[in-house]
Amino acid sequence: MKVVFAGTPEFAAVALRALHEAGFEIPLVLTQPDRPAGRGMQLQASSVKQYALAHGIPVAQPLSLRMDAKDPQRAQEARAAHERLLALEYDVMVVAAYGLILPTSTLDIKPCINIHGSLLPRWRGAAPIHRAIEAGDLETGVTIMGMEEGLDTGPMMLMERVAIAATDTTGSLHDKLAALGARMIVDALRKMEAGGLPATPQPEQGVTYAAKIAKEEARLDFTLPAELLWRRVRAFNPFPGAHGLVDGVTVKVWNAELAPGSGTPGQVLAADAGGIVVACGEGALRMTELQKPGGKRLPAAEFLKSFPLAGLNFS
């Protein structure tokens, strides 16, 4: 079976690696253009591109796949990509966190299968892992689905569930789901080869949307309940990193837990080796790992040595 793969971040690279190691022929990988990254803002290839190049797999990086794009360069690159796909011998396209919309012209060439990190129809959209943790969901999972024009509305082929632990962050849950999705897509294609991969329409009930994470969301509002802030700290770890302001200085909060206590929202109730306890709209939040600008992520005890909080509060 020949598989065209479309994906960009590490979540997708894990699946690409699994398909390659399982022996599927991959005549082409589609991934987003290189982006500036790091302190030097140097152009950096996506995780998918890095894996593909390391294993001799051809790569294409069109700005768009929409041939009707208003921008002439995007439209030209989309036409070139479309012509390349039409001329290519392949059986199925596998998509995982690609980041570009696949138009009907692409979907109509060959069957397209998506690896989605949620239990559809819950958390359709760009940030299903973040939103599941933020909402306090007790479980999530991976759905292998057929693709159509709607946003993650296609029929479901395989689904497996994963419990969300109280200690899970988006980072840790991402790794679990990436590994699960990689195993499931290999299973799905083998079943497809054997002629046995039925698809079930998604139910109309239970639809929710996982909107893309905006950096502004990561600012902790201490007038909110501590439980919601605790979930957000976990949901925004590692990106974009929850934070609060202390005397005008942005302090990132990487790990936290619920704590007893009450007071004016933002008031520091305790600051010791056990953590920094801050009053919230309801209850209190104990911050156990923090980071000041230009510094490293540190346990609360180490953080306090260089950033004492005497007389200061969070806002």
Side-chain angles (χ1 to χ4, degrees):
M1 201 172 203
K2 295 182 180 181
V3 181
V4 168
F5 187 89
T8 299
E10 182 61 22
F11 183 91
V14 175
L16 175 60
R17 183 183 307 116
L19 291 171
H20 183 249
E21 292 179 352
F24 290 99
E25 185 178 342
I26 304 169
L28 180 66
V29 159
L30 297 172
T31 191
Q32 288 216 38
D34 298 357
R35 307 290 189 197
R39 290 187 177 181
M41 296 302 287
Q42 299 294 315
L43 286 179
Q44 183 171 318
S46 71
S47 296
V48 163
K49 180 180 178 179
Q50 291 177 43
Y51 182 87
L53 293 182
H55 294 84
I57 303 172
V59 174
Q61 297 176 271
L63 289 167
S64 173
L65 291 174
R66 302 189 69 92
M67 293 184 286
D68 60 353
K70 293 181 179 179
D71 179 81
Q73 183 180 355
R74 289 175 180 269
Q76 181 180 356
E77 290 195 16
R79 285 192 293 271
H82 182 71
E83 290 171 4
R84 186 170 183 178
L85 288 172
L86 286 175
L88 198 64
E89 266 193 58
Y90 70 102
D91 302 293
V92 63
M93 179 183 289
V94 170
V95 183
Y98 181 26
L100 292 183
I101 295 172
L102 269 62
T104 304
S105 57
T106 302
L107 297 174
D108 285 348
I109 299 174
K110 294 288 182 179
C112 296
I113 299 178
N114 182 245
I115 308 169
H116 188 75
S118 81
L119 301 174
L120 290 170
R122 186 162 177 79
W123 302 129
R124 295 173 178 172
I129 302 175
H130 297 78
R131 298 305 182 190
I133 292 177
E134 183 186 21
D137 291 2
L138 298 179
E139 66 174 4
T140 185
V142 170
T143 304
I144 305 296
M145 55 174 284
M147 294 188 70
E148 55 186 35
E149 275 198 283
L151 178 64
D152 298 328
T153 58
M156 303 178 296
M157 298 169 172
L158 295 175
M159 178 183 289
E160 290 195 29
R161 299 174 182 272
V162 171
I164 300 178
T167 54
D168 267 327
T169 64
T170 287
S172 65
L173 192 55
H174 165 281
D175 293 349
K176 295 177 188 178
L177 296 183
L180 176 60
R183 176 175 60 77
M184 288 174 66
I185 192 61
V186 170
D187 185 31
L189 293 190
R190 284 177 173 159
K191 287 180 177 178
M192 180 180 284
E193 280 185 309
L197 188 61
T200 304
Q202 293 186 34
E204 296 181 3
Q205 293 75 33
V207 175
T208 58
Y209 290 93
K212 185 178 179 180
I213 302 298
K215 287 187 177 181
E216 309 84 69
E217 294 183 70
R219 169 111 181 243
L220 297 174
D221 179 356
F222 290 95
T223 65
L224 296 174
E227 183 171 349
L228 175 55
L229 298 186
W230 169 61
R231 296 199 302 261
R232 287 184 175 174
V233 168
R234 294 162 49 221
F236 300 149
N237 179 354
F239 176 83
H243 65 271
L245 288 180
V246 181
D247 198 24
V249 177
T250 298
V251 174
K252 286 200 171 185
V253 183
W254 293 109
N255 277 299
E257 57 193 30
L258 298 176
S262 62
T264 304
Q267 178 184 357
V268 176
L269 304 177
D272 52 35
I276 299 164
V277 180
V278 179
C280 303
E282 294 177 17
L285 190 70
R286 178 180 288 109
M287 305 173 188
T288 56
E289 186 180 12
L290 305 95
Q291 181 181 13
K292 66 181 181 180
K296 298 178 180 179
R297 294 170 56 159
L298 296 172
E302 294 299 313
F303 176 83
L304 289 168
K305 290 179 181 179
S306 60
F307 201 106
L309 290 172
L312 301 176
N313 292 310
F314 279 79
S315 63

